[in-house]
Amino acid sequence: KNQVEQSPQSLIILEGKNCTLQCNYTVSPFSNLRWYKQDTGRGPVSLTIMTFSENTKSNGRYTATLDADTKQSSLHITASQLSDSASYICVVSASDYKLSFGAGTTVTVRA
Amino acid sequence: GAVVSQHPSRVICKSGTSVKIECRSLDFQATTMFWYRQFPKKSLMLMATSNEGSKATYEQGVEKDKFLINHASLTLSTLTVTSAHPEDSSFYICSATGWRAAGNTIYFGEGSWLTVV
């Protein structure tokens, strides 16, 4: 069964600090891995997408890494801002359309 | 970039009535659209996959007679919750992929809050 596990479930950080979110998956065959940011009550917004051959990808203060051998990915948030408070969802695709979702990590940034 | 629009964003309906949620791709042709349901603090749960011009494929455990999905055009898919009950209250999200988005990313709508009273 294809699974995506995210950790931690939630975290609280102070504004300006960095944090790293983890995603482990067992989806096979692997096509790509995406990180989404979802504000409460809104649809997910794409942050990064990585294929098998990509190890890292950045989008502003968000940097995602991928180790396809160990089936692990991380999302690093640099110099966090209050607006970074949201759920971050790891989504792994075994094909272009079949997605497996992680449960998400809820990030709370405090002033 | 490509945008997927959902309407309405919030709807309240009486128990026993039906409610329709629309999902539109605004600047690309969405050959495939997906409908998800999300409970508070839970991940998105895929309900069904719809391809333009054909019947939707429902995930196991999703009642196709209760959640009617129509994908009649390349820019519009609808989800109709029939004979709604309070337990159908949830956040429903659509996503779409198509000629412009295929192989790049899948775009999500903003979601629709359904409250059945």
Side-chain angles (χ1 to χ4, degrees), chain B residues 5-117:
Chain B
S5 173
Q6 268 187 253
H7 177 80
S9 58
R10 290 182 179 272
V11 58
I12 300 173
C13 70
K14 292 184 177 180
S15 185
T17 63
S18 296
V19 61
K20 180 184 289 186
I21 301 171
E22 294 186 346
C23 179
R24 293 181 184 274
S25 58
L26 298 185
D27 65 356
F28 69 98
Q29 294 182 323
T31 51
T32 305
M33 285 187 171
F34 308 85
W35 286 96
Y36 303 87
R37 184 173 180 178
Q38 187 176 33
F39 293 102
K41 298 184 179 181
K42 299 292 185 182
S43 187
L44 284 77
M45 180 186 73
L46 180 65
M47 298 173 65
T49 302
S50 72
N51 293 296
E52 185 267 337
S54 61
K55 290 184 178 180
T57 301
Y58 289 81
E59 296 298 303
Q60 190 174 6
V62 178
E63 300 176 61
K64 61 182 180 181
D65 294 330
K66 180 167 187 61
F67 299 99
L68 301 179
I69 292 173
N70 182 278
H71 192 167
S73 77
L74 285 171
T75 59
L76 174 65
S77 176
T78 61
L79 167 67
T80 301
V81 182
T82 63
S83 186
H85 291 284
E87 58 264 31
D88 297 325
S89 299
S90 188
F91 188 51
Y92 294 88
I93 306 175
C94 72
S95 69
T97 186
W99 295 111
R100 284 190 60 184
N104 183 8
T105 191
I106 294 176
Y107 297 94
F108 285 87
E110 282 292 301
S112 300
W113 284 101
L114 170 63
T115 302
V116 184
V117 298

Side-chain angles (χ1 to χ4, degrees), chain A residues 37-49:
Chain A
K37 177 186 179 185
Q38 184 178 21
D39 294 313
T40 301
R42 308 290 296 275
V45 175
S46 179
L47 295 177
T48 62
I49 177 172

Side-chain angles (χ1 to χ4, degrees), chain A residues 4-9 11 19-25 30 32-38 43-51 54-59 62-67 71-77 86-93 99-107, chain B residues 104-106 108:
Chain A
V4 179
E5 301 284 341
Q6 287 188 245
S7 62
Q9 185 175 17
L11 65 92
C19 67
T20 300
L21 317 179
Q22 299 292 338
C23 174
N24 297 337
Y25 62 91
F30 174 83
N32 58 66
L33 184 147
R34 316 160 195 253
W35 282 94
Y36 285 88
K37 177 186 179 185
Q38 184 178 21
V45 175
S46 179
L47 295 177
T48 62
I49 177 172
M50 291 180 290
T51 59
E54 296 176 294
N55 300 120
T56 185
K57 183 162 284 188
S58 293
N59 178 359
Y62 300 104
T63 299
T65 66
L66 173 64
D67 186 334
K71 298 186 176 181
Q72 295 179 327
S73 176
S74 67
L75 179 69
H76 187 75
I77 305 175
S87 289
Y88 292 84
I89 304 172
C90 175
V91 183
V92 183
S93 179
L99 305 179
S100 295
F101 290 84
T105 294
T106 300
V107 174
Chain B
N104 183 8
T105 191
I106 294 176
F108 285 87

